[in-house]
Amino acid sequence: MIKPIELVIFDCDGVLVDSERIAVRVQVALGAELGWPLTEDEVVDRFIGRSHAAIRDQIAARLGGQTAAIWSERFEQLHREAVDTGLAPVEGLPEALDEITLPTCVASSGTHDKMRHTLGRTGLYDRFAGRIYSATEVGRGKPAPDLFLHAARQMGADPAACVVIEDSGPGVRAARAAGMRALGYAGGLTPAERLEGPGTTVFHDMRELPALITGR
């Protein structure tokens, strides 16, 4: 028996706020500046959906800890500046949220400070205040299931009755590892084929989300 959905868990970057394009541009620029030239596709493959610590570990392995620390600090600064000048909700997301009546929360690889900033700039923070969870709260980030299981526990939901809205390969793999259903949003930067897999429905328009959740 498939359990009815009790909780909708949203990723943040690329699902709620259209910030992944900003992040990718900043990472490409920093790579060129600090000695690791990366294409946009390489940034999506290596960094998108992963925690701040996991990204820093990759950079440290390539360029050393000191450069990784500089990269990380510069990313935070440049990303914040870019968000302040050009961030918006993902197209169709606010309207979809208006139609979703089930309990919701956010579980993101980003830090709480970052989410307060991005969700605040787009007017979405108050919709989720008190129900926002970060990879900084668990031992392992995506694609491990820890963050989604933590969110389900905090919300009092059975993992088998949760659905995760994700836009990255590590994110959908984390949902599957947690025993949750996944809806993979392919309207952003990650190609649909990187989201496909067991227990996962791929979609391209946030306006489809309410019907996908209810099964109508």
Side-chain angles (χ1 to χ4, degrees), residues 6-133:
E6 297 175 3
L7 176 66
V8 183
I9 303 176
F10 287 90
D11 177 42
C12 183
D13 295 302
V15 169
L16 298 177
V17 295
D18 197 12
S19 54
E20 298 289 42
R21 290 177 176 83
I22 292 173
V24 168
R25 287 198 304 270
V26 172
Q27 297 286 27
V28 168
L30 286 171
E33 176 185 332
L34 296 174
W36 189 6
L38 291 162
T39 66
E40 291 191 356
D41 283 346
E42 286 171 331
V43 170
V44 170
D45 188 48
R46 289 177 175 274
F47 296 167
I48 294 302
R50 299 188 185 274
S51 69
H52 182 78
I55 293 169
R56 188 167 57 190
D57 286 347
Q58 287 189 59
I59 297 165
R62 179 83 175 215
L63 301 175
Q66 185 175 357
T67 301
I70 293 169
W71 185 314
S72 180
E73 184 178 338
R74 292 270 291 137
F75 176 81
E76 293 297 323
Q77 174 195 350
L78 294 172
H79 185 271
R80 179 171 286 270
E81 290 172 358
V83 162
D84 282 341
T85 59
L87 185 65
V90 167
E91 185 178 356
L93 186 278
E95 297 89 336
L97 288 177
D98 289 342
E99 293 185 40
I100 294 170
T101 58
L102 290 167
T104 61
C105 68
V106 178
S108 170
S109 295
T111 64
H112 280 287
D113 282 347
K114 181 181 176 185
M115 286 187 279
R116 271 192 294 271
H117 187 222
T118 57
L119 293 173
R121 292 294 300 180
T122 52
L124 295 173
Y125 187 82
D126 288 345
R127 290 187 184 241
F128 296 100
R131 310 187 314 281
I132 299 174
Y133 308 102

Side-chain angles (χ1 to χ4, degrees), residues 168-183:
S168 74
V172 292
R173 292 198 298 276
R176 292 176 202 136
M180 300 177 181
R181 282 159 277 185
L183 293 174

